[in-house]
Amino acid sequence: MSSIPFRRGLIAVVLTLAAGLACAAETTEITVVDPYARAVPSVVPNSAAFMVLTNAGAAERKLVGARSDAAATVELHTHINDDGVMRMRQVEDIAIPAGGETVLQPGGLHLMLIGLHQPLQPGDSLTLELEFDDGSTRSLTVPVRKIEMGQMGHHHH
């Protein structure tokens, strides 16, 4: 009979670990506000996605990757000023400060959708999965919008 308390204890430990893993699968500290992707004509093989990432936690968090059903690859990108010329560059991660927010917007940080499987038209939507530094993920349905050139680099809350 002495093995019954051991089994109950083992089951309790396994259930506790499973619950912890389930909670870690999707972060609650990070909120995604106003996600959208840029509409592009059929001759353009790439697009970009934008959003505001808000961190309610007490520690800095990082966006470390993303995937989408709409593109072969999704990369984290930024724009840099290279001798007066704005150039896109891939980055390893995107920091989200503790108690703060990081804006992904045209002309700044963004997610590059590379190798689109089909054109992105206004009114369409795509699935985007974000991966964070703690291994958690967030799955989003992202609407496709037309972005006018005058909106480049301007974000309004």
Side-chain angles (χ1 to χ4, degrees):
M1 293 288 180
S2 65
S3 67
I4 290 174
F6 174 76
R7 285 187 193 153
R8 285 188 181 148
L10 183 60
I11 290 170
V13 168
V14 169
L15 290 175
T16 301
L17 289 172
L21 290 174
C23 290
E26 186 152 318
T27 181
T28 56
E29 295 174 346
I30 305 296
T31 304
V32 180
V33 180
D34 194 28
Y36 63 98
R38 173 182 286 143
V40 293
S42 60
V43 296
V44 178
N46 304 323
S47 184
F50 312 100
M51 64 202 68
V52 178
L53 300 170
T54 302
N55 180 358
E60 178 183 88
R61 299 290 306 282
K62 293 181 180 179
L63 177 65
V64 296
R67 291 174 287 287
S68 176
D69 61 352
T73 305
V74 179
E75 295 179 354
L76 311 180
H77 275 226
T78 191
H79 279 90
I80 61 166
N81 188 329
D82 184 10
D83 290 325
V85 178
M86 292 303 289
R87 300 184 190 277
M88 268 192 294
R89 293 287 184 256
Q90 186 175 3
V91 294
E92 291 284 319
D93 55 53
I94 295 174
I96 311 156
E101 69 178 26
T102 298
V103 178
L104 280 60
Q105 64 186 349
L109 293 166
H110 60 281
L111 301 178
M112 206 57 210
L113 306 168
I114 300 170
L116 294 173
H117 300 307
Q118 62 188 35
L120 297 180
Q121 302 297 320
D124 290 349
S125 64
L126 56 94
T127 301
L128 191 61
E129 184 178 72
L130 306 179
E131 182 181 348
F132 298 94
D133 57 347
D134 65 351
S136 66
T137 59
R138 174 68 51 88
S139 188
L140 310 169
T141 299
V142 177
V144 177
R145 296 184 192 158
K146 182 176 181 180
I147 299 175
E148 302 295 334
M149 290 307 289
Q151 292 174 296
M152 296 290 289
H154 300 287
H155 178 80
H156 302 286
H157 286 286

